[in-house]
Amino acid sequence: MRGATLTDADLRGASLRDTDLRGANLAGADLTDATLRGADLREATLEGADLTDANLREADVRDANFRRATMVEVKLYRADMHKAYLGRADLTDANVESADLTKAYLGRADLTGAVLGRATLTRASLQGADLTDASIGRATLRRTTLYKAVLTDAYLGRTDLRGANCNSAELDGANLAQVDLEGANLRDANCAGVNLGRAEVSGANLRNVDLTGANLREATLSDSVLEGASLAGAICRDARFEGVRLDGATLHGATFRNADMADASLEATSGARLTLREADLAGATLADADLPAVDCSGTDLTDADCRGARLGGGDLRESVLTDITVSQGTRCGAQTSAEDAADDAAAWDAIARAYNDLKGAYSEAGLVGKARRQHVLERRARGYEARANGSLTGYVQLGEGRPSVTPGQGNLAAYGAYLGSWASRVTTGFGVRPFRLTVWMLVLFAVAAVAYELDPGITEPIYYSVVTFTTRRRSTANRRSRSSTPSR
């Protein structure tokens, strides 16, 4: 039947197994439930044909035209569809498993719920195609065009998407576990809630991509571009982000625990309550990043550029702050999150050490005022550490009905150290805030002035006390001087 004209033919349920229909014209034909297994349909025209539930297993449909064809639940298992044209075709729930669709055109085709597992779609075009809930596991979509395609809730586990163009695609809720997206283009794509666990996404273009709530655990995104991307609430634990560009990205509530982000660029990123615990950010750029309440506990920030960054209110305990670059715009105030969670002396010790490291960084940059601020915070933390070390247990014990005092078992001295620290902080700001001392002096002068106004006779006892104090100090100094002078 090669080259036969069968336009609008009624071939419902027909058996055309292994038939030679090469170049035949079947436009508008009704092939519902027809059997075309192993048939040769190369260069055949099936435009607008109805192939609902038809069997084309292992059929050869290379260069065939299925434009606007109805192929609901069609069976194309292991069919050769090289360069086939399926523009706007309805392939709902179709079985295209292990088929060869190399360079095939499926623009705006409806593949909802279709099975394309292990299919080959190398350099195929699925521009604007609807693949909602489709199963594409282990398929090959290398350099495939998925521009504005809809893959919502689709399964693409272990799929080869290297170099694929997924620009502006809808991938929300899709499962891309262990997928290979090396060098792929996902710019402006919607990947909210997508699963990219253990995926290979190195060198990919993810500019402005929406990865809100996405799972990127153990994924590799080395040297990828995520400028302007949204990773709010994303889980990136144990992921690899070496050299990644996250400039201007939104990272609110994201988790990068134990992630490798060496030499990554997070310039001008924003992310409240971002978790970077135990991550490697050595050599990373955090310039102008707005990261309030960031958790950097145990994070390696060696050689990190923190100029203009906001890192206050978070947790910097046990982080490595060696050779970090700071500026006047760098804001590393009180570690509110760490202090709120501190419940023992060890925690306060770690907080104080972080303040000390920041003080050193500011001092090396010549930012004396900010270094003093960190000094005050460090001394305050040491005061709280002393309070945490304080103990009354063991001082007063009841033995044989009578109380006994055992000072060796308690630690009241720690409470004394805390009170001394508190007094120093309130009065002099630990010696680096002379304004407070000036205020206290003015208060004392005002009290004295008020006292004199109320009782002018108070000047005599004040004068007597001052003279007595200075005289006794002078006589004591003279005695010490004479006793230290060798006799002749």
Side-chain angles (χ1 to χ4, degrees), residues 204-354:
N205 181 359
L206 294 136
R207 283 187 177 90
N208 303 319
V209 68
D210 185 357
L211 286 160
T212 303
N215 176 18
L216 291 156
R217 188 165 183 170
E218 298 184 42
T220 301
L221 291 95
S222 303
D223 301 315
S224 292
V225 179
L226 287 96
E227 293 178 349
S230 175
L231 285 93
I235 300 174
C236 306
R237 186 169 181 171
D238 300 307
R240 297 182 62 184
F241 282 81
E242 307 104 302
V244 166
R245 290 168 59 187
L246 280 157
D247 302 339
T250 302
L251 308 173
H252 299 301
T255 300
F256 288 83
R257 184 167 184 173
N258 203 38
D260 188 348
M261 305 178 74
D263 299 315
S265 177
L266 288 86
E267 187 172 348
T269 56
S270 59
R273 299 198 175 279
L274 171 66
T275 299
L276 293 167
R277 180 174 293 190
E278 299 173 2
D280 184 359
L281 280 156
T285 301
L286 294 163
D288 299 316
D290 187 9
L291 306 173
V294 61
D295 184 356
C296 285
S297 178
T299 302
D300 186 354
L301 288 160
T302 304
D303 293 318
D305 184 355
C306 299
R307 289 176 293 182
R310 179 187 176 189
L311 303 170
D315 188 348
L316 289 165
R317 287 176 296 175
E318 300 180 6
S319 58
V320 181
L321 300 166
T322 307
D323 298 324
I324 66 169
T325 304
V326 295
S327 67
Q328 189 67 42
T330 304
R331 291 165 290 174
C332 295
Q335 300 175 51
T336 309
S337 300
E339 292 184 0
D340 290 343
D343 55 1
D344 56 21
W348 283 110
D349 174 64
I351 293 170
R353 290 177 185 274

Side-chain angles (χ1 to χ4, degrees), residues 34 41 91 93 98-99 103 130 160 171 217 224 283 316 332-333 377 390 403 422-423 454 456 468 472 478:
L41 287 157
L91 288 148
D93 296 321
S98 301
K103 296 184 179 180
D130 189 349
D160 185 354
L171 287 152
R217 188 165 183 170
S224 292
L316 289 165
C332 295
L377 291 171
W422 178 83
L454 295 175
T468 304
R472 287 177 61 83
N478 290 336

